[in-house]
């Protein structure tokens, strides 16, 4: 079940460098939010603090009403997808997807039959059925990233976090995976935050975009709000020349309905 994410006055320093300078952010349950900004603006640091991979100096992170700062990394139940896939080279696709489930404590670990069913379900979801015995080296970059997403989804995360998920892929594959990710999000409804430096990607995919600069959020809003009403000179300069039609949520839902209608009962 997805939850809202609330970031309150987050501060993070590395030696004398202030990476985050009092950031606050509200992400609704089931929302897809892009963290966009120039290099060094604090995007990845914010994502890693939400995940529990970095600990902030001040401020708090909440998942719904739960203070995530009081949870261990395992207890946060975060699905995290890295730019470079981070798949286990010695494991096939099925074992990569199942890894998080098999790593659960014995008391809450699913049975092997339940794990196999979950892997099969996710392979259908990412449209890679039949490739479960292949190894990462036998897959394309786009297929590897789909497997990485399936592995993140396998544990039924509270929140899905993606750090430059398509950054290592060529332009055509990135474009194809953008639409696929939006359709996947429409199906699963996970609260999702993703970091990107690609403005096209952020404005096409996200329900809302948070633009960071120098450790602060300069503006957050829907793509049309930001493109039509930039609040600062930095925002106006940053988005200058962008003229995109964001993916319409209703069109995505219609596409998902059509996909379900044309799929087999097993798929």
């Amino acid at each position: 079940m997805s939850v809202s994410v609330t970031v309150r006055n987050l501060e993070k320093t590395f030696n004398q460098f202030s990476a985050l300078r009092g950031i606050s952010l509200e992400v609704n349950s089931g929302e897809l939010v892009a963290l966009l900004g120039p290099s060094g603006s604090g995007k990845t640091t914010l994502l890693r603090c939400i995940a529990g991979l970095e600990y902030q100096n001040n401020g708090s992170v909440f998942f719904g009403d739960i203070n995530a700062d009081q949870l261990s990394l395992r207890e946060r139940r975060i699905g995290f997808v890295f730019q470079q896939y981070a798949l286990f080279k010695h494991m096939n696709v099925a074992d990569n997807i199942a890894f998080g489930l098999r790593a659960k404590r014995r008391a809450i670990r699913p049975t092997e039959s339940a794990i196999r069913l979950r892997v099969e379900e996710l392979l259908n979801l990412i449209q890679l059925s039949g490739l479960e015995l292949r190894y990462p080296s036998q897959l394309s970059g786009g297929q590897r990233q789909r497997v990485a997403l399936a592995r993140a989804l396998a544990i039924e995360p509270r929140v899905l976090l993606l750090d430059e998920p398509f950054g290592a892929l060529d332009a055509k594959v990135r474009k194809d995976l953008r639409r696929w990710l939006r359709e996947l999000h429409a199906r699963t409804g996970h609260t999702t935050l993703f970091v990107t430096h690609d403005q096209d990607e952020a404005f096409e995919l996200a329900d809302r975009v948070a633009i960071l600069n120098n450790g602060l959020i300069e503006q957050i809003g829907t793509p049309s709000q930001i493109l039509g009403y930039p609040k600062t000179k930095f925002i106006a300069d940053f988005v200058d020349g962008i003229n995109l039609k964001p993916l319409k949520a209703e069109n995505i839902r219609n596409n998902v309905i059509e996909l379900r209608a044309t799929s087999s009962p097993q798929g």
Side-chain angles (χ1 to χ4, degrees), residues 5 25 27 33 35 47 50 159-162 191-195:
V5 176
L25 175 67
V27 181
V33 171
L35 303 178
L47 200 75
I50 293 171
V159 180
L160 184 61
L161 305 177
L162 302 96
T191 306
T192 303
L193 290 93
F194 73 98
V195 164

Side-chain angles (χ1 to χ4, degrees), residues 139-251:
L139 303 176
S140 68
Q143 289 172 332
R144 290 177 201 171
Q145 197 57 291
R146 290 188 185 208
V147 174
L149 277 162
R151 185 176 63 183
L153 292 172
I155 62 168
E156 298 183 353
R158 285 191 178 97
V159 180
L160 184 61
L161 305 177
L162 302 96
D163 189 6
E164 299 274 8
F166 308 138
L169 305 172
D170 64 47
K172 183 180 185 308
V173 176
R174 281 204 309 270
K175 187 173 181 180
D176 291 342
L177 283 183
R178 282 178 203 165
R179 182 168 293 277
W180 175 82
L181 179 60
R182 184 72 228 197
E183 292 177 352
L184 180 71
H185 179 264
R187 290 187 182 201
T188 62
H190 284 89
T191 306
T192 303
L193 290 93
F194 73 98
V195 164
T196 181
H197 68 275
D198 187 321
Q199 295 181 1
D200 291 358
E201 192 167 279
F203 286 106
E204 285 183 12
L205 268 175
D207 297 318
R208 289 190 298 154
V209 179
I211 300 182
L212 282 76
N213 182 38
N214 196 25
L216 294 169
I217 294 178
E218 293 245 349
Q219 186 171 351
I220 181 168
T222 65
S224 60
Q225 287 171 339
I226 292 176
L227 295 175
Y229 306 96
K231 287 186 174 180
T232 66
K233 184 178 184 301
F234 168 80
I235 298 293
D237 291 341
F238 189 71
V239 303
D240 184 42
I242 299 178
N243 184 20
L244 296 174
K245 292 182 179 179
L247 295 176
K248 300 295 185 182
E250 62 269 23
N251 291 342

Side-chain angles (χ1 to χ4, degrees), residues 7-254:
V7 175
R8 295 180 183 168
N9 302 314
L10 221 61
E11 297 179 2
K12 176 64 180 179
T13 60
F14 296 97
N15 297 322
Q16 301 301 311
F17 175 68
S18 294
L20 302 177
R21 302 192 294 132
I23 281 185
S24 294
L25 175 67
E26 296 268 355
V27 181
N28 298 320
S29 176
E31 192 174 23
L32 180 61
V33 171
L35 303 178
L36 177 67
S39 179
S41 59
K43 306 182 299 294
T44 293
T45 301
L46 175 56
L47 200 75
R48 290 176 64 85
C49 286
I50 293 171
L53 297 173
E54 297 282 357
Y55 288 99
Q56 64 269 18
N57 299 94
N58 290 297
S60 299
V61 176
F62 285 82
F63 298 152
D65 296 328
I66 300 172
N67 187 338
D69 303 333
Q70 299 173 357
L71 303 177
S72 68
L73 185 61
R74 185 192 295 260
E75 289 170 336
R76 290 193 184 206
R77 275 192 23 231
I78 291 292
F80 204 110
V81 179
F82 299 90
Q83 178 178 340
Q84 297 294 339
Y85 322 125
L87 298 178
F88 298 109
K89 296 179 180 179
H90 66 287
M91 292 184 183
N92 62 31
V93 166
D95 288 339
N96 263 286
I97 295 173
F99 177 80
L101 295 172
R102 290 181 175 138
K104 286 178 177 286
R105 300 191 314 274
R106 183 182 297 274
I108 59 173
R109 187 185 308 153
T111 64
E112 271 301 309
S113 60
I115 290 174
R116 285 194 296 271
L117 285 173
R118 180 66 173 151
V119 169
E120 182 180 349
E121 172 189 330
L122 288 164
L123 283 167
N124 286 331
L125 184 67
I126 64 172
Q127 300 169 349
L128 290 182
S129 295
L131 302 186
E132 55 268 23
L133 298 182
R134 291 194 184 182
Y135 287 84
S137 61
Q138 298 173 302
L139 303 176
S140 68
Q143 289 172 332
R144 290 177 201 171
Q145 197 57 291
R146 290 188 185 208
V147 174
L149 277 162
R151 185 176 63 183
L153 292 172
I155 62 168
E156 298 183 353
R158 285 191 178 97
V159 180
L160 184 61
L161 305 177
L162 302 96
D163 189 6
E164 299 274 8
F166 308 138
L169 305 172
D170 64 47
K172 183 180 185 308
V173 176
R174 281 204 309 270
K175 187 173 181 180
D176 291 342
L177 283 183
R178 282 178 203 165
R179 182 168 293 277
W180 175 82
L181 179 60
R182 184 72 228 197
E183 292 177 352
L184 180 71
H185 179 264
R187 290 187 182 201
T188 62
H190 284 89
T191 306
T192 303
L193 290 93
F194 73 98
V195 164
T196 181
H197 68 275
D198 187 321
Q199 295 181 1
D200 291 358
E201 192 167 279
F203 286 106
E204 285 183 12
L205 268 175
D207 297 318
R208 289 190 298 154
V209 179
I211 300 182
L212 282 76
N213 182 38
N214 196 25
L216 294 169
I217 294 178
E218 293 245 349
Q219 186 171 351
I220 181 168
T222 65
S224 60
Q225 287 171 339
I226 292 176
L227 295 175
Y229 306 96
K231 287 186 174 180
T232 66
K233 184 178 184 301
F234 168 80
I235 298 293
D237 291 341
F238 189 71
V239 303
D240 184 42
I242 299 178
N243 184 20
L244 296 174
K245 292 182 179 179
L247 295 176
K248 300 295 185 182
E250 62 269 23
N251 291 342
I252 293 298
R253 283 194 293 269
N254 289 339

